[in-house]
Amino acid sequence: MKFRDLGAQYQQLKAEIDTAISQVLEGSAFILGQQVGELEQRLADYVGVRHCVSCANGTDALQLVLMAWGIGPGDAVFTSNFTFFASAGCASILGAQPVLVDIEPDTFNLCPDDLERRIAQVKAEGRLTPRAIIPVDLFGQPADYPRIEAIARRHGLLVLEDGAQGFGGAVEGKRVCGFGDAAITSFFPAKPLGCYGDGGAIFTDDDRLATTLRSLRAQGRSPQDKYDNREIGMNSRLDTLQAAILLPKLKAFEDHELEAVNQVAAWYDARLKGQVITPVVRAGYTSSWAQYTIRLQDARQRDGLQQHLRQQGIPSMVYYPRGLHQQGAFLHLGLGDEDYPQTSAATRQVLSLPMHPYLREEEVDQVCRAVLAYLRGDAGTV
Ligand SMILES: *Cc1c(COP(=O)(O)O)cnc(C)c1O
């Protein structure tokens, strides 16, 4: 069994993907070929925003937006403490200070109450200027945008949605990557919509921001004169090959994959609910199930279950074994577990089970039988 079976997906879409790849090879427009523009239009339409600007990966996408906003030394950027490193690294690399926010225990997403507290703290200290919030749609579920956007408005902060894991999710029908002032996603192969290498995209309704981003992804060149570089940018474009691969993949994602992962989640829920803490999807929210993450009692039980699954040939992952405050690059911030009780508890209790659109019901059965057998056997030793 695979944790995420990219091979099964390729076998389903092989004819279309192979054709798309050879068309790019025949055409030789490897950089910003016609497929890139076509994909950007399709993605913007799917999300429901005016602009999609593709780039080399999700990490660059975050950095490009912060660069376009002029964020740098002396600025505070608020983000979740329980996420992939890039959500905070994008601020540090520009000389700004990431301010890590604790999470909600049920959704694992940024906690609006803790966000308010930390904004107030930064303002009271007066050392940094609060500039932006980067909420993360962790494991596929959108963050609490209604509350986060209200907080941002009240404090005059920009919102950059990190939808790297959330593409396809929604709140009350409004799709992920349509929240905040700008949003990003990643096409890393294992993300809900993945390509066959690195890729990323930025979404916004802001015309000026979109123009600036198109310049910044190409060395800061002028839109009028490509040999006049008016600002310092990056070289961060999505390869035509990856765009061509993503076009049939986006179609499959829309046609059946998003529905399929929700079916897999429902199969898991039906078998595991009441036995372990199963993922909570809020009323009115839709998840794209980047991960199906259960919660155990403690690290001993979690690690024991992971080992038991491994012995049965069932892969599982710990996303994430530590909060960002415990990452080597952020130890200098001097933050302790006591500052982040919810993040710290989650790092000890979470376990992500196999999840992808081509997982069969028998396989879900096999995983759940193994989980339940372990819990029965483990009960006596607690
Ligand atoms: C994967 C990921 C990124 C970075 O995307 P890359 O394409 O790998 O650079 C950023 N944020 C989150 C939450 C992610 O999961």
Side-chain angles (χ1 to χ4, degrees):
M1 192 181 308
K2 297 247 169 63
F3 187 71
R4 191 166 185 96
D5 196 343
L6 298 173
Q9 184 197 44
Y10 176 59
Q11 288 313 318
Q12 289 254 327
L13 307 176
K14 183 170 168 35
E16 289 163 276
I17 290 176
D18 288 0
T19 305
I21 290 174
S22 49
Q23 277 169 354
V24 176
L25 301 187
E26 300 285 346
S28 306
F30 297 114
I31 302 292
L32 298 183
Q34 159 255 322
Q35 289 89 339
V36 176
E38 192 187 327
L39 177 73
E40 288 179 340
Q41 190 58 55
R42 292 262 312 271
L43 289 168
D45 291 346
Y46 178 81
V47 168
V49 295
R50 288 168 61 80
H51 305 282
C52 168
V53 180
S54 61
C55 62
N57 54 67
T59 304
D60 282 5
L62 290 165
Q63 186 181 332
L64 283 163
V65 175
L66 296 188
M67 283 170 78
W69 286 342
I71 285 174
D75 292 335
V77 176
F78 300 83
T79 193
S80 172
N81 190 14
F82 192 59
T83 176
F84 181 67
F85 184 75
S87 311
C90 61
S92 303
I93 204 161
L94 295 172
Q97 164 100 49
V99 178
L100 305 173
V101 179
D102 210 1
I103 54 168
E104 297 183 301
D106 56 345
T107 64
F108 304 113
N109 277 331
L110 184 140
C111 170
D113 292 329
D114 196 51
L115 173 65
E116 290 256 40
R117 237 184 334 268
R118 295 192 196 254
I119 293 170
Q121 222 172 341
V122 169
K123 285 188 161 173
E125 281 172 12
R127 195 170 52 82
L128 299 164
T129 310
R131 290 290 307 280
I133 306 166
I134 305 182
V136 181
D137 305 325
L138 203 77
F139 303 152
Q141 176 165 214
D144 187 347
Y145 290 101
R147 284 196 62 198
I148 293 168
E149 288 178 341
I151 293 169
R153 272 195 300 277
R154 204 167 338 113
H155 293 278
L157 303 179
L158 293 158
V159 174
L160 169 53
E161 174 186 10
D162 182 345
Q165 299 181 15
F167 193 81
V171 183
E172 307 287 356
K174 181 172 170 168
R175 286 207 168 118
V176 154
C177 291
F179 296 96
D181 300 279
I184 71 97
T185 198
S186 162
F187 304 123
F188 181 81
K191 304 284 160 119
L193 177 63
C195 62
Y196 289 160
D198 278 312
I202 304 160
F203 299 82
T204 185
D205 279 322
D206 181 338
D207 298 345
R208 273 192 50 201
L209 177 63
T211 305
T212 305
L213 290 168
R214 288 187 191 282
S215 165
L216 286 176
R217 78 172 170 183
Q219 314 280 1
R221 79 184 189 194
S222 153
Q224 286 80 35
D225 176 356
K226 75 185 236 186
Y227 295 106
D228 179 18
N229 296 70
R230 295 196 303 197
E231 52 198 331
I232 305 300
M234 298 170 70
N235 175 22
S236 184
R237 295 164 302 200
L238 182 70
D239 288 345
T240 308
L241 266 174
Q242 299 302 345
I245 289 161
L246 279 164
L247 281 164
K249 283 210 181 205
L250 174 60
K251 185 166 177 303
F253 185 81
E254 287 187 71
D255 284 352
H256 59 90
E257 288 185 351
L258 186 56
E259 204 180 305
V261 284
N262 276 280
Q263 174 61 258
V264 172
W267 288 332
Y268 272 127
D269 281 351
R271 288 157 178 82
L272 296 179
K273 227 171 209 158
Q275 312 293 318
V276 293
I277 299 173
T278 51
V280 174
V281 178
R282 292 250 169 105
Y285 282 58
T286 310
S287 177
S288 58
W289 297 106
Q291 304 297 339
Y292 185 91
T293 303
I294 60 171
R295 223 174 153 132
L296 288 307
Q297 284 171 3
D298 51 28
R300 186 198 57 77
Q301 190 184 49
R302 189 268 311 275
D303 296 345
L305 172 59
Q306 184 169 38
Q307 194 189 346
H308 175 77
L309 293 176
R310 197 180 301 124
Q311 284 159 359
Q312 316 270 312
I314 299 168
S316 63
M317 304 289 281
V318 175
Y319 294 126
Y320 294 92
R322 54 175 69 85
L324 295 184
H325 70 291
Q326 294 169 320
Q327 295 282 352
F330 292 134
L331 287 179
H332 69 277
L333 298 174
L335 301 164
D337 282 357
E338 65 286 359
D339 296 314
Y340 296 97
Q342 299 302 340
T343 298
S344 303
T347 60
R348 293 191 294 269
Q349 298 170 349
V350 291
L351 190 66
S352 300
L353 302 178
M355 170 53 90
H356 60 83
Y358 301 91
L359 203 64
R360 289 176 285 115
E361 190 169 11
E362 308 88 83
E363 295 175 299
V364 172
D365 254 336
Q366 188 194 338
V367 176
C368 294
R369 275 198 310 271
V371 171
L372 297 178
Y374 172 77
L375 292 175
R376 273 195 305 275
D378 186 56
T381 67
V382 175

